[in-house]
Amino acid sequence: MPGDIETMTTNGHHDMPTTKPLPPQTGTTAQAAAAAHQTNGTTKPTSVLHANLNSPPPKIVSAQGNYLTTSTGTQIFDATGGAAVSCLGHNHPHVKKAIIDQLDTVEYTYSPFFTTDTSEKLAERLTKSTDGQMSKAFIVSSGSEAIEAALKLARQYFVEKGEPQRTRFIAREQSYHGNTLGALGVGGHKARRKIYEPLLNENVSFVSPPYPYRGMRDGESEEAYAQRLGEELEAEFQRVGPGNVCAFVAETMSGLTLGAVPPPKTYLSTMKSICTKHGALLILDEVMSGMGRTGTLHAWTQDSVVPHLQTVAKGLGAGYQPIGALLVHRDVVDVLSKGTGSFVHSQTYQGHPVACAAACAVQEVVEREGLMENVRALAPVLEKLLRERLGGHKNVGNIRGRGFMWGIELVADKPTKTPFPASKKLAATIHATGLRPEYGISLLPGGGVADGIDGDVIMLAPAYNITREDVEVIVERTARVVEGVLGG
């Protein structure tokens, strides 16, 4: 409730949160914002094409640390950083200063014509963070753009190698790689693809995702499960012709459309070995799971598997500017360097100086304040409290995750794992309920996790600089929302 929401203070880290009573917001700013959003007691018409045309979302008038304040004065703990984006929380002074300093230097250049210190600095930081395995970075404005660039580069790589027949991609069911047509085409989420299906590429096929909760057999080890999934991938290579495949595209750790599922042991190494056997590339999508979200800067390092192409975005710039990047393995770069010496692709805002400055500042904070260590230290606490508080709930089927990326799968019947039907819109209802003043928490809702249509998950993806007290607040409020919607 507004009277017991935490406020932000400084306690060693920039804008680190501590629990401290905060009185309900009654200042003129909140009152004016609320009044501006209301006309004769009704919401003003909006010119924004919102996701729901008949029900605009709450208007946020300020953000500080982990808290968002709406136009009606409600304060909401942002337990997901939006869509797993705001990894430093909101209004961080170091990042704001970097943006202003860059605006005072150069605000924009067209990357095919010019380069800047900030884009060079960010690219160097990214490649060095992989120990030089990925030797080039192509900096864009979103995760979808990074995936589009990856698909194009994979194709160009094989054309330059003299293998132009490689036009196919293999991806995973219930996956998500972005909403542009190329990215949506390699995504396997049925509901998101449905109305656009006639527009999507037909050169993509799908295999089962790693989903132990629903896919692993009784008594089967993770390694055996990974081997079985590898056999399915091998069969798909054979079906479409091994020499026709450009790449296998996969999220290193599944995002919202499956619900924060870590890869089983040996899964990634098994998939890469099959790609290597057939001369195809491995593209790992770390738009959500990368840049520290799972406890290491690159999620693939936890499984000791180096991709040929890697995409990052959300945690790269923490939401302070739109930014994403494609990281390219040195072997791929070498083929292009010895061939045309170019990449046949560009974006108007690639390498945007202000976005690069913001991302550099975000990564400086992550490094300087030891935030990867904080994620790794508090992740077991978050897991333990979630399992203690919600593991026994009759509708909580599975709790899974890694680092600060956790999914809670909700089921209608726990013993049979029967999902709620999509028509119930359970996850969306839980999200909307959490925004109410008596709960004050933003949760990330996902649907279709069971089969692409039915099945609900809520995800948590808090800022990397939260405290143990914040973890306790997140778990307690999440549990109260679940109980408020589904009963105790």
Side-chain angles (χ1 to χ4, degrees):
M1 298 177 69
D4 64 7
I5 302 274
E6 292 90 330
T7 187
M8 305 298 296
T9 63
T10 300
N11 64 355
H13 293 308
H14 288 296
D15 292 337
M16 287 288 284
T18 58
T19 51
K20 178 179 178 180
L22 181 69
Q25 184 172 350
T26 57
T28 56
T29 300
Q31 291 171 339
H37 198 51
Q38 301 290 323
T39 303
N40 298 325
T42 60
T43 302
K44 287 178 61 177
T46 175
S47 297
V48 176
L49 185 64
H50 289 293
N52 187 331
L53 273 64
N54 299 315
S55 180
K59 180 181 287 184
I60 300 301
V61 297
S62 67
Q64 179 71 33
N66 291 313
Y67 286 89
L68 306 170
T69 301
T70 72
S71 58
T72 57
T74 298
Q75 291 188 314
I76 299 167
F77 193 108
D78 188 2
T80 67
V85 174
S86 300
C87 62
L88 298 185
H90 304 278
N91 209 17
H92 197 290
H94 179 69
V95 185
K96 288 166 58 179
K97 183 178 185 302
I99 291 171
I100 293 169
D101 289 346
Q102 186 59 44
L103 287 170
D104 287 338
T105 307
V106 56
E107 84 296 342
Y108 171 75
T109 60
Y110 185 40
S111 289
F113 293 172
F114 308 105
T115 189
T116 61
D117 284 341
T118 50
S119 62
E120 297 287 345
K121 180 181 176 183
L122 179 60
E124 182 180 18
R125 174 180 280 274
L126 287 170
T127 56
K128 281 187 174 180
S129 70
T130 69
D131 291 328
Q133 298 271 18
M134 318 300 279
S135 65
K136 298 288 183 184
F138 184 78
I139 301 166
V140 290
S141 301
S142 70
S144 294
E145 289 181 16
I147 286 289
E148 296 284 340
L151 300 177
K152 284 188 169 184
L153 186 53
R155 167 63 179 164
Q156 184 179 340
Y157 168 80
F158 284 111
V159 170
E160 299 217 7
K161 282 192 71 181
E163 300 179 54
Q165 79 283 358
R166 288 189 184 261
T167 60
R168 298 196 61 89
F169 292 88
I170 302 174
R172 300 192 309 206
E173 296 166 353
Q174 291 151 272
S175 61
Y176 180 68
H177 300 288
N179 259 331
T180 49
L181 288 178
L184 193 63
V186 293
H189 191 271
K190 295 177 183 177
R192 297 192 186 196
R193 290 173 57 95
K194 186 176 181 180
I195 68 169
Y196 303 109
E197 200 80 45
L199 307 179
L200 302 180
N201 288 333
E202 297 180 353
N203 62 339
V204 182
S205 54
F206 299 91
V207 293
S208 300
Y211 192 3
Y213 176 60
R214 293 188 179 274
M216 193 183 300
R217 297 166 180 165
D218 290 342
E220 187 175 37
S221 68
E222 289 190 36
E223 293 86 349
Y225 179 42
Q227 181 60 36
R228 183 158 56 86
L229 292 172
E231 290 168 0
E232 182 182 350
L233 179 62
E234 173 66 30
E236 186 59 19
F237 264 94
Q238 295 301 328
R239 188 186 74 82
V240 301
N244 296 326
V245 179
C246 273
F248 175 56
V249 187
E251 297 157 288
T252 308
M253 178 169 159
S254 296
L256 186 60
T257 55
L258 203 59
V261 180
K265 294 175 184 176
T266 72
Y267 172 80
L268 289 176
S269 59
T270 298
M271 300 298 113
K272 184 174 181 182
S273 67
I274 294 168
C275 291
T276 301
K277 173 183 174 183
H278 298 300
L281 299 180
L282 173 64
I283 300 175
L284 288 184
D285 178 350
E286 296 201 357
V287 167
M288 181 175 280
S289 65
M291 302 313 298
R293 174 58 57 193
T294 62
T296 54
L297 210 56
H298 304 289
W300 51 260
T301 61
Q302 297 179 48
D303 295 273
S304 302
V305 172
V306 183
H308 298 100
L309 299 171
Q310 174 195 355
T311 58
V312 295
K314 299 174 185 291
L316 177 60
Y320 286 88
Q321 288 284 291
I323 192 165
L326 168 65
L327 306 185
V328 187
H329 193 277
R330 59 193 180 209
D331 291 347
V332 176
V333 173
D334 188 54
V335 168
L336 268 62
S337 296
K338 292 176 180 177
T340 62
S342 65
F343 179 26
V344 189
H345 177 63
S346 68
Q347 302 274 175
T348 298
Y349 296 110
Q350 72 186 66
H352 193 279
V354 181
C356 289
C360 283
V362 168
Q363 298 311 311
E364 287 164 4
V365 172
V366 170
E367 182 178 349
R368 184 179 66 226
E369 298 185 0
L371 298 188
M372 288 299 86
E373 291 81 0
N374 191 55
V375 172
R376 291 193 291 270
L378 289 180
V381 178
L382 177 57
E383 177 182 10
K384 178 175 181 291
L385 294 180
L386 281 174
R387 296 194 187 283
E388 288 177 354
R389 190 66 176 79
L390 280 170
H393 191 282
K394 63 184 175 65
N395 297 120
V396 173
N398 188 236
I399 297 172
R400 69 278 187 134
R402 185 183 282 180
F404 275 2
M405 185 174 170
W406 286 84
I408 304 166
E409 184 167 345
L410 303 164
V411 293
D413 183 75
K414 200 164 183 172
T416 63
K417 305 180 184 178
T418 303
F420 286 98
S423 59
K424 190 174 179 64
K425 298 181 179 179
L426 177 63
T429 299
I430 287 175
H431 165 73
T433 302
L435 300 183
R436 286 161 44 181
E438 61 266 38
Y439 297 106
I441 189 167
S442 179
L443 305 169
L444 193 57
V449 296
D451 57 11
I453 298 174
D454 294 329
D456 297 271
V457 68
I458 53 175
M459 271 183 55
L460 298 171
Y464 302 164
N465 51 7
I466 60 170
T467 64
R468 183 187 174 104
E469 290 77 12
D470 293 316
V471 172
E472 294 170 354
V473 168
I474 290 169
V475 173
E476 181 57 28
R477 293 190 186 187
T478 300
R480 287 204 300 114
V481 175
V482 171
E483 293 164 353
V485 174
L486 292 170

